[in-house]
Amino acid sequence: MTKRIRKAVFPVAGLGTRFLPATKSIPKEMLTIVDRPVLQHVVDEAREAGIEHFIFVTGRNKAVIEDHFDIAFELEETLQKRGKLKELQGLTDLLPAAGAASFTRQQEPLGLGHAVWCAREIVGDEPFAVLLPDMVTQAAAGKGGRCLAQCIEAYEKHGGNIIAAEEVPMEETHQYGIISIGKDFGPTFEITGMVEKPPKGMAPSNLMISGRYILGPEIFPILEKGEKGAGGEIQLTDGMIALSKTQAFHGVRFDGKTFDCGSKLGFLSANVAFALANPEVAAPFKAELKKVLGAL
Ligand code: G1P
């Protein structure tokens, strides 16, 4: 019997240098995909998967993230007075319940492993999810949930630790964590090895770690050691390699699409894909897109 996954950690302390000047005063997680911040899409994915407590590991200059997940009293009162009830409902639907969002700070940019470790007191002694907000997932048309829901399904089946993976072109493997696979169960598989940002030509496969994890709390004492890996940072992947010596790790092939919104290209294609899936704008946007593409 596996324990229920109730808590999710969102590491949101990154500087967003790839999106300057847009991210000079706005956190990169607050850039919009269609009508909501990137981070809102990722939090929605967690909520749909049954997550009840949202833990944000923030940094300096990220205060608006906290405001986004709070009541905006003056705004909501004005919407109410003006009878804009649909807009008001849209805000209240997305609001975490009182006490269901926690914020802690990563004081120094020491790496993803360090960011996750910063959440240890709030997570406590139970398995938890991690969602990297750069990676935005979209369910396959007409079936299944988003990536975290599929990870939780795999966790309920296999127990232990779960990592979502996705194929990338071999020439891009040096930008990601890469896994090697053992016994294949179809949508899930055994993970036999992991490496963070392998040098070009050295990746054991083209399966990248795509930013959704279910981890046991035993990862925390490992991360606490603060051992540095690729790029001189405390890497989550290295912590997972150490944990895999004593606990099982399974991979999930997400049946859907993942957009790496940490890159301009991924961010732009996410906007196109989410607009085309949004009933409010899909049809007129398609017509606009055709015009723009026709002019090329
Ligand atoms: C992080 C992880 C890496 C993963 C990637 C997905 O890297 O360390 O394993 O593949 O996210 O985006 P980062 O993008 O923070 O360099």
Side-chain angles (χ1 to χ4, degrees), residues 112 132 135 176-177 196-197 209 213 235 237:
L112 177 60
L132 305 191
M135 304 303 256
Y176 298 105
E196 182 64 21
K197 308 211 170 70
I209 298 177
Y213 314 77
Q235 295 288 355
T237 304

Side-chain angles (χ1 to χ4, degrees), residues 108-221:
E108 294 172 273
L110 297 179
L112 177 60
H114 177 257
V116 170
W117 176 74
C118 288
R120 69 201 178 281
E121 296 289 342
I122 310 176
V123 170
D125 189 25
E126 60 182 278
F128 62 103
V130 176
L131 296 97
L132 305 191
D134 275 352
M135 304 303 256
V136 174
T137 78
Q138 192 180 40
K143 54 172 182 164
R146 287 194 241 183
C147 190
L148 190 67
Q150 291 182 18
C151 291
I152 289 181
E153 232 174 79
Y155 167 78
E156 282 162 357
K157 184 168 161 205
H158 298 290
N161 303 269
I162 305 289
I163 303 178
E166 185 142 325
E167 288 187 3
V168 285
M170 216 51 199
E171 59 275 16
E172 289 176 19
T173 48
H174 65 285
Q175 302 169 21
Y176 298 105
I178 301 293
I179 54 183
S180 14
I181 77 172
K183 206 167 162 200
D184 202 329
F185 307 106
T188 62
F189 50 86
E190 256 172 27
I191 294 178
T192 52
M194 304 171 223
V195 52
E196 182 64 21
K197 308 211 170 70
K200 281 185 183 169
M202 303 288 280
S205 79
N206 68 339
L207 278 175
M208 69 129 165
I209 298 177
S210 67
R212 300 291 182 269
Y213 314 77
I214 307 285
L215 297 170
E218 297 78 12
I219 192 81
F220 291 127

Side-chain angles (χ1 to χ4, degrees), residues 48-69:
E48 283 163 24
I51 296 298
E52 294 166 4
H53 194 119
F54 307 86
I55 303 165
F56 300 91
V57 181
T58 72
R60 284 179 287 284
N61 302 323
K62 301 277 183 171
V64 293
I65 293 181
E66 219 164 309
D67 292 339
H68 181 76
F69 293 102

